[in-house]
Amino acid sequence: MLTLTVALLLAQGLQAQHATQPAHATGAYPDPVLHAVPDQHDPHAHHPHHRHHLAVMTDATTNLTHHENFMTLGVDYEFRLSDHWGVGVEAEELLGLHNETVLGIPVFLHPFGDLRINAMPLVAFLEPGEESVLLSSPEATASESGTLWGGRVGMGYDLHLGKLSLTPNVSADFMHESTSLVYGLAFGVGF
C-alpha cells in the first residue's frame, strides 16, 4: 500500500510538471468528440496522451478462492480513441503448476488525469483435464476443450516520463465461480 501511495504522489508531481508543456510538445492528439476543432494557439490546451501504448506487465495473481499466488507475465496494447476512451488487447501467462495463457480485449476509460479503468472479457487456455490456477479449487480441471471464459475489471495509474510509463495496477478476475486478484506493475511506451 505504501508503494501505491508513493506512486500516486509521484504521479501528481509529474502530471503538474507535464501540464506546463504545450500540447504540440507532448505528441498529443485532439479528442474528436470533445474538440472537433482544437485551438492550436490555446496555451491552456493539454492533451498529453499518445494514440498507441504498449506495455510489458509483471504481476502476481492471487486466487482468493483457494488462496494461492502465481507469477504473471504479459503484454498490453491500447489504442486511444479519444482523450477518455481506448480499446486494446492483453495477453498474459500465469506461471503455476501448469502454465495458463489468458487473453482479453479491454475497453479503457480515462476519466481524469492518468487514471485508467478497464473492463474486458477473458478467455484462458490450458490442456484439457489439467488443473487450473483460475478455477474455484486446486483440483478443478479445464473442460474438454481446455477453454475457460470469464471477465476482468481493473484500474491503474500511469506515471509518465516522456514517452515511457510505469503503471501500478490492480484487477479482479471472475472465472467460473472463482475470483482472483491481479496486481503489479506495467512498463510501457507511448507512440
Side-chain angles (χ1 to χ4, degrees):
M1 193 64 169
L2 178 60
T3 303
L4 184 57
T5 304
V6 170
L8 290 174
L9 290 173
L10 186 68
Q12 288 175 346
L14 288 173
Q15 186 176 11
Q17 177 185 3
H18 194 66
T20 61
Q21 297 178 0
H24 63 82
T26 65
Y29 57 93
D31 183 331
V33 176
L34 298 177
H35 306 285
V37 181
D39 182 0
Q40 297 296 327
H41 302 287
D42 181 1
H44 302 291
H46 178 64
H47 305 286
H49 306 287
H50 298 280
R51 188 163 295 274
H52 305 274
H53 187 262
L54 182 64
V56 175
M57 301 177 298
T58 57
D59 295 330
T61 298
T62 299
N63 186 306
L64 300 176
T65 306
H66 54 85
H67 309 290
E68 290 187 308
N69 299 310
F70 305 94
M71 179 71 177
T72 307
L73 299 174
V75 294
D76 171 291
Y77 168 76
E78 179 184 2
F79 176 75
R80 291 290 287 264
L81 300 170
S82 70
D83 277 352
H84 299 287
W85 292 99
V87 295
V89 64
E90 195 167 296
E92 297 177 350
E93 188 74 15
L94 277 80
L95 308 174
L97 181 59
H98 302 282
N99 292 355
E100 296 181 31
T101 302
V102 179
L103 301 175
I105 300 178
V107 173
F108 296 96
L109 170 64
H110 301 268
F112 56 86
D114 291 319
L115 180 66
R116 168 170 119 154
I117 299 170
N118 66 65
M120 70 184 88
L122 291 177
V123 61
F125 302 98
L126 62 157
E127 292 297 318
E130 277 189 356
E131 294 178 4
S132 170
V133 299
L134 296 173
L135 292 179
S136 56
S137 72
E139 296 80 27
T141 59
S143 65
E144 290 181 17
S145 68
T147 305
L148 304 170
W149 294 92
R152 171 179 290 176
V153 293
M155 63 185 293
Y157 195 88
D158 296 329
L159 306 170
H160 296 281
L161 184 57
K163 291 184 177 186
L164 301 178
S165 67
L166 175 66
T167 306
N169 57 66
V170 62
S171 300
D173 289 359
F174 305 96
M175 184 94 50
H176 190 316
E177 300 179 9
S178 182
T179 303
S180 296
L181 190 63
V182 182
Y183 47 94
L185 292 172
F187 304 92
V189 61
F191 53 99

